[in-house]
Every structure is written in structure tokens, then in C-alpha cells.
Amino acid sequence: MVVCVISKYGEQLMPTSCLGKVRHMLKDGRAVIYKRDPFTIQLTYETTTYTQPIEVCIDAGYQHIGNSIKSESMEYFSQQYDLLPDEKQRHDDQRRYRRSRRNRLRYRKRRFNNRRKSKKPGWLPPSLKNKADQHIAIFEKFRSVIPIRDCTIELGHLTHRS
């Protein structure tokens, strides 16, 4: 397990795996809990802000997201996130229930010209939008507390470095 560290002034520092030291710092008042997921402490005293380059590697799959955060000497986090497997089926069921509800009404005027959302620029189907939002949320969760310099995202057979 690794604990992320924030300086007194809000700068991101290197994560630590010395859990006993973190526990003593929290007990003595030299640190406070900053965030629970991922577990992050904020120091209450001044310190140097030296950091090493840290890289995030993300394997963006259809059902699972693989995430690894590492430096040259150590891997800090390695996790797999499972996405909702039946997102499209859930939306299809919702659509079917809505139609059956509306068909129970008598003499309702038909509405059919207000259903096209795909003509709007930037629109994604809800299933793909959920997957994209999950990828962004996972990256942002760690970016806020770890000094990340590089990001590698693997998309299918392509690898993009930024």
C-alpha cells in the first residue's frame, strides 16, 4: 500500500510506502488526512518539493481499465477497474418501460421529430459516454495528488504518449 503526500502549501510530493512513519506523523500532528481515495496526507510543516518523474500507464479496454502508476524505481499503484458490463441493455430496458408507460395513455399526440440527438456535435451514446467519463475520472483521481509527468494510454493496438 502507498500513501500520497501533499506539502503544506498544496504541492504534490512523492508517494510513500512507509506506513508506520505516516501513522506516527498523523498521531503527532505533523500531518492531516487530506483525502481518503486514494489515501492522501497533507504535511503541516515545510519541506523540500523534490520529485522524481512519475508515469501513468492506462490500458483502456472495453470491459476493464488497467491502471499503473510508476517511477523508474518503484510501482506505486496497479489496479483494474471493472466497467458496467450491461450499460446498453440497461438503457434499452429503460426505453422499453418508457414506451409501454406512454402507450397506456389514450389520444396522445404522437411525437417523433424530437428524438435525434446524434446530429448534435460532440454527442456520444450513453454507453460510450459512461466509458469515457470513467477513464477521465480515474485519471483525474490520481492526477490531483501525485506529481505525474508522463501518461501512456494504450487504445487497442495503438499506444499514445503525451
Side-chain angles (χ1 to χ4, degrees), residues 88-121:
K88 184 181 182 317
Q89 181 65 37
R90 294 168 83 197
H91 285 284
D92 289 343
D93 292 343
Q94 180 184 9
R95 185 181 309 115
R96 191 177 71 239
Y97 292 138
R98 183 176 60 242
R99 284 181 181 170
S100 72
R101 221 177 28 243
R102 288 181 177 171
N103 286 335
R104 288 186 217 132
L105 299 173
R106 292 187 190 187
Y107 309 117
R108 183 182 172 139
K109 183 179 177 182
R110 293 189 175 263
R111 297 183 300 178
F112 57 89
N113 284 335
N114 60 350
R115 299 293 184 242
R116 296 291 296 176
K117 294 179 185 174
S118 61
K119 291 183 180 179
K120 295 179 182 177

Side-chain angles (χ1 to χ4, degrees), residues 36-100:
R36 299 269 182 201
D37 185 31
F39 190 76
T40 307
I41 61 170
Q42 183 172 14
L43 304 177
T44 57
Y45 61 93
E46 294 186 19
T47 184
T48 61
T49 58
Y50 172 73
T51 58
Q52 299 171 6
I54 294 181
E55 179 182 17
V56 173
C57 299
I58 299 173
D59 184 8
Y62 185 74
Q63 293 290 331
H64 311 286
I65 300 173
N67 188 13
S68 175
I69 299 175
K70 60 185 179 177
S71 66
E72 291 181 7
S73 61
M74 181 177 178
E75 183 175 36
Y76 298 106
F77 291 97
S78 177
Q79 298 172 335
Q80 176 178 323
Y81 296 93
D82 298 328
L83 299 173
L84 295 175
D86 57 348
E87 183 72 17
K88 184 181 182 317
Q89 181 65 37
R90 294 168 83 197
H91 285 284
D92 289 343
D93 292 343
Q94 180 184 9
R95 185 181 309 115
R96 191 177 71 239
Y97 292 138
R98 183 176 60 242
R99 284 181 181 170
S100 72

Side-chain angles (χ1 to χ4, degrees), residues 117-118 120-133 136:
K117 294 179 185 174
S118 61
K120 295 179 182 177
W123 182 83
L124 285 174
S127 58
L128 296 179
K129 183 167 176 23
N130 178 40
K131 291 183 190 311
D133 290 344
I136 293 169

